[in-house]
Amino acid sequence: PHLKLYGGIRRIIELANRLTERGHDVTIFHSDGSPCEWMKCIAKIKDYKSVLKEEHDVLVLTHPPSDYPIFKKAKARLKIYYVLALYERSLLKGINLKICLPWDRHMLFIRNALYSPYLILSNATWMYYWLKKNMNIDSKLLLGGVNFEMFRPIEVKRNPNEIHILCSGEIRERKGTKTILKAMEIVKKEVSKVALDTYYDKGISQKDMAKKYSSADIFVDAQWYAGWNNPVAEAMACKVPVVCTDIGGVRDFAFHEKTALLVPPEDPQAMALAVLRLIRDDKLREKLRENAYKHIKTFDWDISAENMEKILLSELNKYKGYSQNIRKQYRIVNFILENISNILFIGYKIAIPIYRLIKRKKIKICEGE
Protein backbone atom coordinates (compact mmCIF):
# COMPACT_ATOMS: atom_id res chain seq x y z
CA PRO A 1 0.00 0.00 0.00
CA HIS A 2 2.97 2.36 0.56
CA LEU A 3 6.70 2.33 1.36
CA LYS A 4 6.59 4.10 4.73
CA LEU A 5 8.37 2.99 7.90
CA TYR A 6 6.50 -0.14 9.03
CA GLY A 7 7.63 -3.66 9.92
CA GLY A 8 5.73 -5.31 7.07
CA ILE A 9 7.24 -2.85 4.59
CA ARG A 10 10.72 -3.60 5.93
CA ARG A 11 10.13 -7.27 5.13
CA ILE A 12 9.15 -6.46 1.55
CA ILE A 13 12.20 -4.25 0.99
CA GLU A 14 14.68 -6.63 2.67
CA LEU A 15 13.48 -9.55 0.52
CA ALA A 16 13.24 -7.44 -2.65
CA ASN A 17 16.81 -6.19 -2.18
CA ARG A 18 18.23 -9.67 -1.68
CA LEU A 19 16.28 -11.24 -4.54
CA THR A 20 17.58 -8.43 -6.77
CA GLU A 21 21.13 -9.14 -5.59
CA ARG A 22 20.55 -12.81 -6.48
CA GLY A 23 19.94 -11.78 -10.10
CA HIS A 24 16.14 -11.55 -10.25
CA ASP A 25 14.21 -8.67 -11.81
CA VAL A 26 12.20 -7.39 -8.84
CA THR A 27 9.65 -4.58 -8.82
CA ILE A 28 7.67 -3.21 -5.88
CA PHE A 29 4.30 -1.83 -6.98
CA HIS A 30 2.54 0.50 -4.55
CA SER A 31 0.00 3.32 -4.48
CA ASP A 32 1.84 6.20 -6.19
CA GLY A 33 5.23 4.65 -6.97
CA SER A 34 7.13 7.12 -4.79
CA PRO A 35 10.62 6.05 -3.64
CA CYS A 36 11.41 4.58 -0.23
CA GLU A 37 12.93 7.39 1.86
CA TRP A 38 13.86 5.63 5.12
CA MET A 39 15.71 2.57 3.86
CA LYS A 40 17.88 1.67 0.88
CA CYS A 41 15.88 -0.08 -1.85
CA ILE A 42 17.66 -1.43 -4.94
CA ALA A 43 14.57 -3.08 -6.45
CA LYS A 44 12.52 -1.16 -9.00
CA ILE A 45 9.56 0.84 -7.68
CA LYS A 46 6.44 1.59 -9.74
CA ASP A 47 2.85 2.70 -9.15
CA TYR A 48 -0.21 0.45 -8.97
CA LYS A 49 -1.35 1.02 -12.55
CA SER A 50 1.93 -0.28 -13.93
CA VAL A 51 1.28 -3.78 -12.59
CA LEU A 52 -1.46 -4.25 -15.21
CA LYS A 53 0.83 -3.17 -18.07
CA GLU A 54 3.33 -5.99 -17.53
CA GLU A 55 3.33 -9.78 -17.43
CA HIS A 56 5.05 -11.38 -14.45
CA ASP A 57 6.56 -14.72 -13.60
CA VAL A 58 5.60 -14.24 -9.94
CA LEU A 59 3.26 -11.72 -8.35
CA VAL A 60 3.17 -11.45 -4.55
CA LEU A 61 0.25 -9.92 -2.65
CA THR A 62 0.90 -8.62 0.89
CA HIS A 63 -2.00 -6.25 1.64
CA PRO A 64 -5.40 -7.48 0.35
CA PRO A 65 -7.53 -4.57 1.68
CA SER A 66 -5.96 -2.19 -0.85
CA ASP A 67 -4.33 -4.51 -3.39
CA TYR A 68 -6.56 -7.56 -3.96
CA PRO A 69 -8.81 -6.20 -6.78
CA ILE A 70 -5.85 -5.12 -8.93
CA PHE A 71 -3.89 -8.25 -7.99
CA LYS A 72 -6.66 -10.46 -9.42
CA LYS A 73 -6.57 -8.60 -12.76
CA ALA A 74 -2.80 -8.70 -13.20
CA LYS A 75 -1.14 -11.37 -15.37
CA ALA A 76 1.35 -13.75 -13.78
CA ARG A 77 2.42 -17.37 -14.11
CA LEU A 78 2.37 -17.72 -10.33
CA LYS A 79 0.38 -15.66 -7.85
CA ILE A 80 1.16 -15.69 -4.12
CA TYR A 81 -0.51 -14.26 -1.04
CA TYR A 82 2.22 -13.67 1.54
CA VAL A 83 0.31 -13.38 4.82
CA LEU A 84 2.06 -10.84 7.04
CA ALA A 85 -0.71 -10.44 9.62
CA LEU A 86 -4.06 -11.95 10.66
CA TYR A 87 -5.89 -9.28 12.62
CA GLU A 88 -9.43 -9.87 13.96
CA ARG A 89 -9.12 -13.61 13.38
CA SER A 90 -12.62 -14.30 14.75
CA LEU A 91 -14.02 -12.75 11.56
CA LEU A 92 -12.08 -15.16 9.35
CA LYS A 93 -13.46 -18.42 10.77
CA GLY A 94 -16.79 -19.82 9.56
CA ILE A 95 -19.68 -17.48 8.74
CA ASN A 96 -19.69 -14.08 10.41
CA LEU A 97 -21.86 -11.39 8.84
CA LYS A 98 -19.89 -8.68 10.67
CA ILE A 99 -17.14 -9.18 8.06
CA CYS A 100 -19.40 -7.38 5.54
CA LEU A 101 -19.84 -4.28 7.71
CA PRO A 102 -18.05 -1.19 6.33
CA TRP A 103 -15.57 -0.98 9.23
CA ASP A 104 -14.75 -4.71 9.02
CA ARG A 105 -14.80 -5.05 5.24
CA HIS A 106 -10.98 -5.05 5.05
CA MET A 107 -11.15 -8.50 6.68
CA LEU A 108 -13.37 -9.67 3.82
CA PHE A 109 -10.55 -8.97 1.36
CA ILE A 110 -8.14 -10.91 3.58
CA ARG A 111 -10.49 -13.90 3.75
CA ASN A 112 -11.09 -13.80 0.00
CA ALA A 113 -7.33 -13.80 -0.58
CA LEU A 114 -6.84 -16.70 1.85
CA TYR A 115 -9.50 -18.78 0.08
CA SER A 116 -8.19 -17.85 -3.36
CA PRO A 117 -6.47 -20.41 -5.64
CA TYR A 118 -3.10 -18.74 -5.03
CA LEU A 119 -0.12 -20.14 -3.17
CA ILE A 120 -0.22 -19.02 0.48
CA LEU A 121 2.96 -18.11 2.39
CA SER A 122 2.95 -17.65 6.19
CA ASN A 123 5.47 -15.32 7.80
CA ALA A 124 5.46 -17.00 11.23
CA THR A 125 5.08 -20.53 12.60
CA TRP A 126 2.02 -19.68 14.71
CA MET A 127 0.28 -18.39 11.58
CA TYR A 128 1.10 -21.54 9.62
CA TYR A 129 -0.60 -23.72 12.25
CA TRP A 130 -3.51 -21.33 12.82
CA LEU A 131 -4.44 -21.32 9.12
CA LYS A 132 -4.28 -25.11 9.01
CA LYS A 133 -6.33 -25.64 12.17
CA ASN A 134 -8.96 -22.92 11.76
CA MET A 135 -9.36 -22.53 8.00
CA ASN A 136 -7.97 -25.82 6.66
CA ILE A 137 -5.46 -23.85 4.57
CA ASP A 138 -2.11 -25.37 3.71
CA SER A 139 0.57 -22.72 3.46
CA LYS A 140 4.33 -22.64 3.09
CA LEU A 141 6.39 -21.13 5.89
CA LEU A 142 8.67 -18.18 5.05
CA LEU A 143 10.11 -16.71 8.25
CA GLY A 144 11.54 -13.22 8.48
CA GLY A 145 14.94 -12.08 9.64
CA VAL A 146 17.04 -9.30 11.07
CA ASN A 147 19.44 -7.03 9.22
CA PHE A 148 22.57 -7.64 11.31
CA GLU A 149 24.55 -4.91 9.54
CA MET A 150 21.96 -2.48 10.87
CA PHE A 151 21.02 -4.06 14.23
CA ARG A 152 24.00 -5.10 16.35
CA PRO A 153 25.39 -4.50 19.85
CA ILE A 154 27.04 -1.09 20.26
CA GLU A 155 28.94 0.20 23.26
CA VAL A 156 26.96 3.09 24.71
CA LYS A 157 27.85 5.15 27.78
CA ARG A 158 25.05 4.80 30.34
CA ASN A 159 24.16 6.67 33.51
CA PRO A 160 25.03 4.19 36.32
CA ASN A 161 22.43 5.81 38.56
CA GLU A 162 19.57 5.20 36.15
CA ILE A 163 17.84 2.12 34.74
CA HIS A 164 16.96 2.84 31.14
CA ILE A 165 13.79 1.14 29.84
CA LEU A 166 13.06 1.40 26.11
CA CYS A 167 9.85 0.77 24.15
CA SER A 168 8.70 1.82 20.69
CA GLY A 169 6.03 4.22 21.96
CA GLU A 170 3.83 3.52 18.92
CA ILE A 171 0.48 5.33 19.28
CA ARG A 172 -1.79 2.68 17.72
CA GLU A 173 -3.80 1.10 20.54
CA ARG A 174 -2.93 -2.49 19.68
CA LYS A 175 0.77 -1.69 20.15
CA GLY A 176 0.13 -1.62 23.90
CA THR A 177 1.95 1.61 24.82
CA LYS A 178 -0.75 2.44 27.41
CA THR A 179 -0.05 -0.90 29.11
CA ILE A 180 3.67 -0.04 29.29
CA LEU A 181 2.98 3.41 30.77
CA LYS A 182 0.79 1.88 33.49
CA ALA A 183 3.40 -0.80 34.17
CA MET A 184 6.11 1.84 34.57
CA GLU A 185 3.99 3.67 37.16
CA ILE A 186 3.94 0.45 39.20
CA VAL A 187 7.68 -0.10 38.70
CA LYS A 188 8.59 3.42 39.84
CA LYS A 189 6.80 2.88 43.15
CA GLU A 190 9.34 0.12 43.82
CA VAL A 191 12.42 1.51 42.03
CA SER A 192 12.62 5.26 41.63
CA LYS A 193 15.68 5.41 39.36
CA VAL A 194 13.82 4.05 36.30
CA ALA A 195 13.57 6.15 33.10
CA LEU A 196 11.32 5.21 30.17
CA ASP A 197 12.38 6.19 26.65
CA THR A 198 10.74 5.74 23.22
CA TYR A 199 11.84 6.05 19.59
CA TYR A 200 8.58 6.16 17.61
CA ASP A 201 8.13 9.22 15.39
CA LYS A 202 11.34 10.87 16.62
CA GLY A 203 13.07 10.90 13.24
CA ILE A 204 15.83 8.50 14.29
CA SER A 205 17.60 7.16 11.19
CA GLN A 206 17.89 3.43 10.65
CA LYS A 207 21.68 3.54 11.01
CA ASP A 208 21.22 5.05 14.51
CA MET A 209 18.60 2.56 15.72
CA ALA A 210 21.20 0.06 16.97
CA LYS A 211 22.64 2.77 19.20
CA LYS A 212 19.14 3.55 20.50
CA TYR A 213 18.44 -0.10 21.32
CA SER A 214 21.89 -0.60 22.85
CA SER A 215 21.39 2.36 25.17
CA ALA A 216 18.65 0.44 27.02
CA ASP A 217 19.03 -1.84 30.02
CA ILE A 218 15.69 -3.50 29.22
CA PHE A 219 13.43 -3.43 26.15
CA VAL A 220 9.66 -3.84 26.66
CA ASP A 221 6.98 -4.57 24.08
CA ALA A 222 3.26 -4.90 24.83
CA GLN A 223 1.58 -5.57 21.48
CA TRP A 224 -1.81 -7.28 21.58
CA TYR A 225 -1.17 -9.20 18.37
CA ALA A 226 1.29 -9.20 15.47
CA GLY A 227 2.27 -11.35 12.54
CA TRP A 228 5.96 -11.03 13.38
CA ASN A 229 7.48 -8.74 15.99
CA ASN A 230 10.37 -6.75 14.50
CA PRO A 231 11.15 -4.55 17.55
CA VAL A 232 11.66 -7.55 19.85
CA ALA A 233 13.87 -9.33 17.29
CA GLU A 234 15.91 -6.14 16.70
CA ALA A 235 16.38 -5.55 20.44
CA MET A 236 17.63 -9.13 20.82
CA ALA A 237 20.08 -8.56 17.96
CA CYS A 238 21.43 -5.56 19.92
CA LYS A 239 21.87 -7.76 23.02
CA VAL A 240 19.17 -6.06 25.07
CA PRO A 241 17.15 -8.24 27.51
CA VAL A 242 13.45 -8.27 26.62
CA VAL A 243 10.07 -8.31 28.36
CA CYS A 244 7.26 -8.81 25.84
CA THR A 245 3.69 -10.03 25.50
CA ASP A 246 3.12 -13.70 24.78
CA ILE A 247 1.65 -13.38 21.29
CA GLY A 248 2.15 -15.41 18.13
CA GLY A 249 4.40 -12.77 16.60
CA VAL A 250 7.26 -13.57 19.04
CA ARG A 251 6.98 -17.33 19.40
CA ASP A 252 9.68 -18.14 16.87
CA PHE A 253 12.33 -16.43 19.01
CA ALA A 254 10.96 -15.39 22.44
CA PHE A 255 10.90 -18.30 24.90
CA HIS A 256 9.90 -17.61 28.50
CA GLU A 257 12.84 -17.47 30.90
CA LYS A 258 15.20 -18.61 28.12
CA THR A 259 15.40 -15.71 25.66
CA ALA A 260 12.84 -13.30 27.19
CA LEU A 261 10.26 -12.84 29.93
CA LEU A 262 6.76 -13.24 28.50
CA VAL A 263 3.60 -11.72 29.98
CA PRO A 264 -0.09 -11.69 28.96
CA PRO A 265 -1.28 -8.82 26.72
CA GLU A 266 -3.03 -5.86 28.39
CA ASP A 267 -1.70 -6.80 31.84
CA PRO A 268 0.36 -3.91 33.29
CA GLN A 269 0.77 -5.66 36.65
CA ALA A 270 2.37 -8.73 35.06
CA MET A 271 4.61 -6.54 32.90
CA ALA A 272 5.69 -4.48 35.92
CA LEU A 273 6.58 -7.63 37.89
CA ALA A 274 8.64 -8.96 34.96
CA VAL A 275 10.52 -5.66 34.60
CA LEU A 276 11.19 -5.52 38.36
CA ARG A 277 12.47 -9.08 38.24
CA LEU A 278 15.00 -8.15 35.56
CA ILE A 279 16.04 -5.00 37.38
CA ARG A 280 16.81 -7.02 40.51
CA ASP A 281 18.42 -10.05 38.88
CA ASP A 282 21.67 -9.31 37.04
CA LYS A 283 22.29 -12.99 36.23
CA LEU A 284 18.88 -13.39 34.62
CA ARG A 285 19.42 -10.27 32.48
CA GLU A 286 22.75 -11.65 31.28
CA LYS A 287 21.27 -15.09 30.58
CA LEU A 288 18.38 -13.69 28.51
CA ARG A 289 20.70 -11.30 26.68
CA GLU A 290 23.16 -14.01 25.60
CA ASN A 291 20.57 -16.71 24.81
CA ALA A 292 18.42 -14.33 22.77
CA TYR A 293 21.39 -12.98 20.81
CA LYS A 294 22.57 -16.48 19.95
CA HIS A 295 19.10 -17.58 18.81
CA ILE A 296 18.14 -14.46 16.85
CA LYS A 297 21.34 -14.75 14.79
CA THR A 298 19.72 -17.75 13.05
CA PHE A 299 17.09 -15.43 11.51
CA ASP A 300 18.90 -13.87 8.58
CA TRP A 301 17.30 -12.07 5.62
CA ASP A 302 19.72 -13.79 3.22
CA ILE A 303 18.41 -17.16 4.41
CA SER A 304 14.82 -15.93 4.03
CA ALA A 305 15.49 -14.73 0.48
CA GLU A 306 17.14 -18.04 -0.43
CA ASN A 307 14.16 -19.96 0.97
CA MET A 308 11.76 -17.75 -0.94
CA GLU A 309 13.71 -18.29 -4.15
CA LYS A 310 13.54 -22.08 -3.67
CA ILE A 311 9.77 -21.95 -3.13
CA LEU A 312 9.18 -19.77 -6.20
CA LEU A 313 11.40 -21.83 -8.50
CA SER A 314 9.84 -25.08 -7.28
CA GLU A 315 6.32 -23.82 -7.94
CA LEU A 316 7.24 -22.38 -11.36
CA ASN A 317 8.96 -25.61 -12.39
CA LYS A 318 5.97 -27.61 -11.21
CA TYR A 319 3.72 -25.51 -13.44
CA LYS A 320 6.21 -25.67 -16.32
CA GLY A 321 6.12 -29.47 -16.17
CA TYR A 322 2.38 -29.60 -16.85
CA SER A 323 1.17 -30.35 -20.36
CA GLN A 324 -0.31 -27.51 -22.38
CA ASN A 325 -3.79 -28.97 -21.83
CA ILE A 326 -3.36 -29.07 -18.03
CA ARG A 327 -2.06 -25.50 -18.04
CA LYS A 328 -5.21 -24.37 -19.84
CA GLN A 329 -7.32 -26.23 -17.30
CA TYR A 330 -5.50 -24.53 -14.41
CA ARG A 331 -6.10 -21.12 -15.98
CA ILE A 332 -9.81 -21.97 -16.28
CA VAL A 333 -9.89 -23.18 -12.66
CA ASN A 334 -8.20 -20.03 -11.39
CA PHE A 335 -10.65 -17.89 -13.34
CA ILE A 336 -13.59 -19.85 -11.92
CA LEU A 337 -12.36 -19.61 -8.34
CA GLU A 338 -11.62 -15.89 -8.62
CA ASN A 339 -14.79 -14.80 -10.40
CA ILE A 340 -17.60 -17.36 -10.20
CA SER A 341 -19.55 -18.60 -7.20
CA ASN A 342 -21.94 -21.13 -8.79
CA ILE A 343 -20.79 -23.79 -11.24
CA LEU A 344 -22.84 -26.05 -13.53
CA PHE A 345 -20.77 -28.84 -15.08
CA ILE A 346 -21.86 -29.85 -18.60
CA GLY A 347 -19.89 -32.25 -20.78
CA TYR A 348 -17.98 -35.18 -19.34
CA LYS A 349 -14.66 -34.94 -21.23
CA ILE A 350 -14.17 -31.23 -20.64
CA ALA A 351 -15.78 -30.86 -17.21
CA ILE A 352 -14.31 -33.82 -15.32
CA PRO A 353 -10.60 -32.75 -15.53
CA ILE A 354 -11.51 -29.23 -14.40
CA TYR A 355 -13.76 -30.65 -11.67
CA ARG A 356 -10.86 -32.77 -10.37
CA LEU A 357 -8.52 -29.77 -10.34
CA ILE A 358 -11.01 -27.77 -8.30
CA LYS A 359 -11.34 -30.62 -5.80
CA ARG A 360 -7.55 -30.87 -5.61
CA LYS A 361 -7.53 -27.23 -4.50
CA LYS A 362 -9.82 -28.25 -1.60
CA ILE A 363 -12.77 -26.09 -2.69
CA LYS A 364 -16.08 -27.41 -1.44
CA ILE A 365 -18.44 -28.43 -4.26
CA CYS A 366 -22.13 -29.25 -3.97
CA GLU A 367 -22.63 -32.47 -5.91
CA GLY A 368 -26.00 -33.42 -7.43
CA GLU A 369 -27.37 -36.45 -9.24
Side-chain angles (χ1 to χ4, degrees), residues 240-280:
V240 182
V242 169
V243 174
C244 62
T245 42
D246 187 10
I247 57 173
V250 302
R251 288 180 187 161
D252 282 306
F253 43 83
F255 312 116
H256 187 51
E257 298 194 350
K258 294 181 179 178
T259 62
L261 292 185
L262 274 62
V263 299
E266 299 184 77
D267 190 337
Q269 183 69 37
M271 175 156 282
L273 291 174
V275 170
L276 286 169
R277 187 179 169 195
L278 281 185
I279 290 173
R280 292 165 175 159

Side-chain angles (χ1 to χ4, degrees), residues 264-328:
E266 299 184 77
D267 190 337
Q269 183 69 37
M271 175 156 282
L273 291 174
V275 170
L276 286 169
R277 187 179 169 195
L278 281 185
I279 290 173
R280 292 165 175 159
D281 193 336
D282 294 345
K283 289 184 178 179
L284 180 60
R285 285 207 309 274
E286 185 63 21
K287 171 189 169 183
L288 297 184
R289 180 189 294 117
E290 293 299 329
N291 286 350
Y293 181 71
K294 183 178 179 180
H295 183 67
I296 206 66
K297 290 290 281 185
T298 64
F299 294 92
D300 189 288
W301 283 119
D302 289 322
I303 296 173
S304 296
E306 183 180 353
N307 290 338
M308 186 174 189
E309 182 184 59
K310 288 177 181 177
I311 291 170
L312 302 187
L313 292 175
S314 174
E315 292 296 317
L316 287 171
N317 287 334
K318 188 189 301 181
Y319 182 79
K320 187 178 179 180
Y322 295 148
S323 67
Q324 187 176 0
N325 186 43
I326 292 293
R327 288 188 213 173
K328 287 180 180 178

Side-chain angles (χ1 to χ4, degrees), residues 89-103:
R89 296 192 293 276
S90 61
L91 296 178
L92 295 173
K93 298 188 292 183
I95 298 174
N96 191 329
L97 295 179
K98 285 177 65 178
I99 203 169
C100 297
L101 295 173
W103 47 87

Side-chain angles (χ1 to χ4, degrees), residues 7-66:
I9 303 301
R10 175 187 291 284
R11 178 178 294 250
I12 293 166
I13 296 170
E14 294 280 13
L15 288 171
N17 283 347
R18 283 158 178 76
L19 289 170
T20 301
E21 288 171 349
R22 296 177 74 86
H24 302 290
D25 183 9
V26 184
T27 304
I28 298 173
F29 297 93
H30 77 99
S31 52
D32 59 4
S34 56
C36 179
E37 297 180 344
W38 60 277
M39 183 177 168
K40 180 182 178 181
C41 181
I42 62 173
K44 299 173 185 175
I45 301 174
K46 297 181 181 180
D47 62 62
Y48 269 154
K49 295 179 182 178
S50 301
V51 77
L52 297 176
K53 299 175 184 177
E54 304 175 22
E55 291 195 16
H56 318 274
D57 291 307
V58 180
L59 197 59
V60 183
L61 169 72
T62 60
H63 193 259
S66 63

Side-chain angles (χ1 to χ4, degrees), residues 189-201:
K189 290 177 182 178
E190 299 285 332
V191 182
S192 60
K193 58 179 183 178
V194 170
L196 179 66
D197 192 12
T198 64
Y199 56 78
Y200 174 74
D201 207 25

Side-chain angles (χ1 to χ4, degrees), residues 3-257:
L3 287 183
K4 298 175 184 177
L5 177 52
Y6 285 89
I9 303 301
R10 175 187 291 284
R11 178 178 294 250
I12 293 166
I13 296 170
E14 294 280 13
L15 288 171
N17 283 347
R18 283 158 178 76
L19 289 170
T20 301
E21 288 171 349
R22 296 177 74 86
H24 302 290
D25 183 9
V26 184
T27 304
I28 298 173
F29 297 93
H30 77 99
S31 52
D32 59 4
S34 56
C36 179
E37 297 180 344
W38 60 277
M39 183 177 168
K40 180 182 178 181
C41 181
I42 62 173
K44 299 173 185 175
I45 301 174
K46 297 181 181 180
D47 62 62
Y48 269 154
K49 295 179 182 178
S50 301
V51 77
L52 297 176
K53 299 175 184 177
E54 304 175 22
E55 291 195 16
H56 318 274
D57 291 307
V58 180
L59 197 59
V60 183
L61 169 72
T62 60
H63 193 259
S66 63
D67 306 347
Y68 189 57
I70 199 166
F71 179 79
K72 289 204 304 180
K73 295 178 183 177
K75 294 180 180 180
R77 291 170 59 199
L78 174 65
K79 290 185 178 182
I80 294 172
Y81 174 25
Y82 191 10
V83 189
L84 302 186
L86 287 174
Y87 308 132
E88 301 172 74
R89 296 192 293 276
S90 61
L91 296 178
L92 295 173
K93 298 188 292 183
I95 298 174
N96 191 329
L97 295 179
K98 285 177 65 178
I99 203 169
C100 297
L101 295 173
W103 47 87
D104 286 324
R105 199 161 178 268
H106 65 285
M107 295 303 297
L108 186 61
F109 284 105
I110 291 175
R111 190 171 73 173
N112 288 344
L114 286 168
Y115 279 132
S116 69
Y118 313 130
L119 176 68
I120 306 294
L121 298 182
S122 295
N123 81 328
T125 303
W126 77 267
M127 190 179 291
Y128 171 87
Y129 286 111
W130 191 92
L131 288 173
K132 180 63 178 176
K133 179 181 178 181
N134 295 280
M135 300 182 74
N136 196 30
I137 291 174
D138 288 316
S139 61
K140 292 185 180 295
L141 189 60
L142 184 63
L143 298 177
V146 175
N147 187 326
F148 296 109
E149 292 181 4
M150 192 176 294
F151 299 100
R152 64 199 189 281
I154 292 178
E155 286 293 328
V156 177
K157 189 176 181 180
R158 295 190 181 93
N159 182 349
N161 299 315
E162 184 178 78
I163 297 167
H164 186 188
I165 311 291
L166 180 68
C167 72
S168 74
E170 238 269 39
I171 58 175
R172 285 178 290 174
E173 190 176 28
R174 66 178 177 83
K175 295 295 183 177
T177 300
K178 289 182 180 179
T179 299
I180 294 172
L181 293 174
K182 290 177 182 178
M184 289 304 105
E185 290 177 6
I186 299 170
V187 169
K188 286 179 180 180
K189 290 177 182 178
E190 299 285 332
V191 182
S192 60
K193 58 179 183 178
V194 170
L196 179 66
D197 192 12
T198 64
Y199 56 78
Y200 174 74
D201 207 25
K202 290 187 175 179
I204 301 172
S205 68
Q206 289 297 292
K207 66 182 180 64
D208 291 329
M209 278 303 298
K211 184 178 179 180
K212 191 67 175 176
Y213 279 118
S214 298
S215 68
D217 295 294
I218 300 170
F219 181 79
V220 293
D221 188 277
Q223 293 189 58
W224 300 354
Y225 47 80
W228 176 272
N229 193 312
N230 280 329
V232 168
E234 291 161 3
M236 289 177 170
C238 296
K239 275 197 172 183
V240 182
V242 169
V243 174
C244 62
T245 42
D246 187 10
I247 57 173
V250 302
R251 288 180 187 161
D252 282 306
F253 43 83
F255 312 116
H256 187 51
E257 298 194 350

